[in-house]
Amino acid sequence: MSQDKEAGSPRISLLRLALWGAALVGAAGVLYIIAQSSITPRAKGGLDDLTRGEMSRLILPAEAMPAPVNSFQDAAGDPVRIGDFRGKVVVVNLWATWCAPCIIEMPTLARLAEARKDRDVVVLAVSIDREKDGEKARAFIAKNAPLEFYWDPKASLPFALKPPTAAMPTTLIYGRDGVERARMLGEADWGGRDALAVIDRLLEEE
């Protein structure tokens, strides 16, 4: 009997050591998770609760998609990309002079740009007018300060989006990280409190 106990003692000791080892590993894992949670930023909040009023038709993408790399022109004719504004909340409005809803909503985009001009917000009204209507589009934007003139005469930007769009106007909102966070097909009031709430939510994100 004593021999059995003596023979079993090393096994019991090894078992205890294994259990203690597992407990220590588990405790270390818990401490690691706690430490990481205090260091790692909290996940970004969604916009679901802000899809109301003027923003009730806001489309929130199921998959995070970066801005297309296609370039368009600034007022000086130099190439520019949406990604050039990374670090800011970017509102991209695709419009044309032949699009009546685009003309109607443009002053609201100007109000948005004015209301958040001292914040990290950029409003890019990108005309997809053809070459012959370029000056007409430029003159129209000049009446909607502080918006600046941007032009995509080849209309490549709408089809470079994922998914592409054929709706005019289409407005896309990108977070500071350059990822599309929301999209609106059709006219909306971008100077109202519903739209400003969406922009301000994204401004709060780091």
Side-chain angles (χ1 to χ4, degrees):
M1 190 78 171
S2 60
Q3 289 180 351
D4 292 339
K5 286 182 178 179
E6 290 176 3
S9 295
R11 295 177 185 174
I12 294 172
S13 298
L14 288 173
L15 179 59
R16 286 176 178 171
L17 286 172
L19 290 172
W20 273 107
L24 289 171
V25 170
V30 170
L31 289 173
Y32 176 80
I33 292 170
I34 293 172
Q36 286 298 103
S37 65
S38 64
I39 296 171
T40 305
R42 297 177 65 182
K44 292 180 179 179
L47 301 174
D48 302 74
D49 61 315
L50 299 180
T51 55
R52 61 188 181 225
E54 278 293 318
M55 297 291 103
S56 61
R57 293 181 290 108
L58 203 63
I59 301 169
L60 307 181
E63 183 180 357
M65 298 301 299
V69 297
N70 297 54
S71 63
F72 44 96
Q73 299 176 16
D74 63 12
D78 295 324
V80 62
R81 294 178 174 84
I82 298 172
D84 295 341
F85 302 92
R86 189 182 177 93
K88 301 178 182 292
V89 174
V90 184
V91 180
V92 180
N93 179 259
L94 303 176
W95 71 284
T97 56
W98 45 259
C99 164
C102 301
I103 301 301
I104 292 170
E105 81 167 351
M106 194 61 69
T108 74
L109 286 159
R111 287 200 297 272
L112 168 61
E114 179 66 26
R116 294 296 179 269
K117 66 181 180 181
D118 296 327
R119 308 280 303 273
D120 287 337
V121 178
V122 177
V123 180
L124 306 176
V126 183
S127 167
I128 61 165
D129 281 287
R130 293 171 295 179
E131 293 280 355
K132 68 183 186 70
D133 294 321
E135 288 307 312
K136 180 180 178 181
R138 185 188 295 268
F140 176 71
I141 288 297
K143 298 176 182 178
N144 289 276
L147 297 179
E148 298 181 14
F149 181 64
Y150 293 94
W151 191 21
D152 180 19
K154 295 182 180 179
S156 62
L157 197 54
F159 301 101
L161 299 171
K162 295 182 181 180
T165 183
M168 287 294 120
T170 290
T171 304
L172 306 109
I173 305 175
Y174 294 88
R176 295 178 186 272
D177 56 0
V179 172
E180 181 183 337
R181 299 297 303 278
R183 177 184 302 204
M184 177 76 77
L185 306 181
E187 175 194 350
D189 178 6
W190 292 101
R193 63 181 183 181
D194 295 326
L196 291 175
V198 171
I199 300 303
D200 289 344
R201 174 72 59 81
L202 295 179
L203 281 171
E204 291 170 1
E205 296 180 352
E206 295 297 335

